[in-house]
Amino acid sequence: MMSAVPTSKHSLADWLVYLESLHPKAIELGLDRVRTVAERLQACEGGGVKIIVGGTNGKGSTCAMLEAIYLAAGYKTGLYTSPHLIDFNERIRLRGELATDEQIVRQLAQIETARGDITLTYFEYTTLAALLLFKEHQIDVAILEVGLGGRLDAVNIVDADCSIVTSVDVDHVEWLGDTREKIGWEKAHIFRKGKPAICSDPQPPQSVLDYAREIEADLWLFGHDFNYSADKQQWAFAGRNQRRNALAYPALRGANQLLNASAALAAIESLRDRLAVPQQSVRQGLIQAVLPGRFQIIPGQPTVVLDVAHNPHAAAVLAHNLDSMAYFPYTHAVVGMVNDKDCDEVIKKFGRKVDHWYCASLDGERSRSGQDIAERVRKQLPADAEGLPTVTVFDSPAAAYDSARSKAADNDRIVVFGSFLTVAAVLQHLGRPAV
């Protein structure tokens, strides 16, 4: 822990240690503190057209596609996402490039001076830093991913020109509630009166619809205001007044990516009077969008799939995507989870798709032990007559991965999932950058 307040001359690493130690709670929802500091800094002024993206799953993919399409159309973009996989700088991108240590530190020093006696969380500091950089660089379009929920998330201090709720499922119950209706109400608070409010959940909770109508948002619903159709070669988007035909499949793999792409294209249509986007830019952006850790397949043998799926809904999508792949004799799963996730339900989504489980402990207070995960696997999936699935325990994702790699044949498959922390640990172990 740092003994003194860092300055603009300190390193980003020094600042991050300081931020982690400063606020008594890692997560403290509420907008009053961060809004006060933002007003002092005029952080929300300027920064171009602002798009806020929330939802249980699919936020990161939707943000990545929006950024890639607007970049391809020649706009100056700003992207703010969380969490990062390896380097903190992944959270803030300017014109498609990671913000530098120096750029981020300069903003953190400004925020430290402006906050006075107001305490801020790590996430609130970084949200303000992103907004200040977007303002400084006079970007055309800011794309901001909600960290948790929506109503009380720091990103919600921004007066969005367009808001997207990608999906609503049960996660973060201790903060957002234990039903889709309660969670949907929290997420819907990123909608704004009279502004496009995109919802790409095929079966949105009634609370999302009710809140949008209550505040008189311009609600765009999947299946009503926008949709897609697809065959094996290409797909097409249909919005309220705009069709985009003969589109290549997104570079981001997986069953839900056309739903995420449709949400992005609905937002782009809703903003076309301010940000025109030609068809070629849509095509180019969709095939250039990159998002590590979302059904990411590492080339070579055996096939390695990395996915940050950490709740039942995301696990179900991952299991479906695994089914859509070619045949593999055996599937080896490296899994590490934190203790506030529904581990039992996540395991259930995979059922007998996994032949060998490698259960890893993660670092940190929230970590669920590999032993606990293993016991849950054994309870739900008792071994069959062939002794499958096998279940082993490891102290780290890297050790679990090494064991899986040594036991997997070239024509087998290794799946790494359960947490951003698990995927990040394996990426680092392999010496691969996150971007």
Side-chain angles (χ1 to χ4, degrees), residues 353-409:
K353 293 179 174 67
V354 174
D355 303 291
H356 304 284
W357 291 84
Y358 304 77
C359 304
S361 298
L362 301 176
D363 292 332
E365 293 177 5
R366 295 169 60 217
S367 171
R368 187 185 294 275
S369 72
Q371 185 63 44
D372 179 72
I373 299 171
E375 288 170 4
R376 292 169 186 272
V377 174
R378 291 188 186 109
K379 182 178 179 180
Q380 293 191 53
L381 304 171
D384 62 17
E386 297 179 32
L388 297 176
T390 66
V391 184
T392 46
V393 177
F394 299 87
D395 290 335
S396 69
Y401 177 82
D402 282 345
S403 180
R405 184 68 183 81
S406 69
K407 292 174 182 173

Side-chain angles (χ1 to χ4, degrees), residues 12 88-89 92 99-108 133:
L12 178 57
F88 178 87
N89 311 59
I92 306 174
T100 65
D101 286 9
E102 294 76 16
Q103 288 172 326
I104 297 168
V105 164
R106 193 169 68 250
Q107 309 313 321
L108 294 176
L133 281 171

Side-chain angles (χ1 to χ4, degrees), residues 305-310 315 318 333-337 346-347 350 354 357 415-419 422-423:
V305 180
L306 301 168
D307 198 295
V308 296
H310 54 272
L318 173 56
V334 174
V335 58
M337 297 187 69
V346 167
I347 292 166
F350 290 91
V354 174
W357 291 84
V415 184
V416 180
F417 76 99
S419 171
T422 309
V423 171

Side-chain angles (χ1 to χ4, degrees), residues 125 158 170 181 185 225 243 317 348 408 426:
Y125 266 95
V158 171
V170 178
E181 290 297 335
W185 184 79
D225 298 278
R243 292 188 63 86
V317 173
K348 282 181 188 176
V426 171

Side-chain angles (χ1 to χ4, degrees), residues 159-311:
D159 186 17
D161 297 289
C162 174
S163 305
I164 303 172
V165 170
T166 57
S167 66
V168 179
D169 218 279
V170 178
D171 198 8
H172 299 297
V173 294
E174 62 271 44
W175 290 290
L176 305 179
D178 56 2
T179 67
R180 290 184 77 235
E181 290 297 335
K182 292 176 183 175
I183 294 168
W185 184 79
E186 293 282 347
K187 294 186 183 300
H189 276 70
I190 64 172
F191 294 160
R192 299 287 184 265
K193 177 181 174 66
K195 302 288 181 63
I198 316 293
C199 181
S200 54
D201 191 310
Q203 296 180 302
Q206 188 63 39
S207 59
V208 172
L209 312 183
D210 290 346
Y211 182 77
R213 287 168 183 145
E214 176 189 331
I215 66 164
E216 299 178 345
D218 177 18
L219 184 61
W220 291 52
L221 290 173
F222 177 77
H224 183 268
D225 298 278
F226 65 100
N227 213 328
Y228 71 83
S229 58
D231 59 32
K232 290 184 178 180
Q233 278 75 43
Q234 58 189 20
W235 70 287
F237 167 81
R240 284 184 181 172
N241 300 295
Q242 193 171 44
R243 292 188 63 86
R244 296 195 184 268
N245 298 314
L247 298 171
Y249 274 76
L252 300 178
R253 299 180 174 95
N256 273 16
Q257 293 302 357
L258 291 187
L259 197 57
N260 296 329
S262 295
L265 293 186
I268 287 167
E269 179 185 344
S270 77
L271 295 168
R272 63 180 179 170
D273 289 345
R274 298 178 67 181
L275 299 167
V277 176
Q279 180 79 340
Q280 184 55 33
S281 300
V282 171
R283 292 196 172 104
Q284 185 180 341
L286 288 173
I287 61 174
Q288 289 180 337
V290 176
L291 188 63
R294 276 66 161 193
F295 207 62
Q296 178 182 358
I297 298 176
I298 295 179
Q301 291 183 306
T303 295
V304 178
V305 180
L306 301 168
D307 198 295
V308 296
H310 54 272
N311 56 49

Side-chain angles (χ1 to χ4, degrees), residues 126-149:
T126 56
T127 302
L128 290 172
L131 293 173
L132 288 169
L133 281 171
F134 295 167
K135 177 184 174 183
E136 179 182 297
H137 286 258
Q138 299 182 321
I139 61 169
D140 300 315
V141 54
I143 302 151
L144 301 117
E145 179 185 356
V146 170
L148 188 142

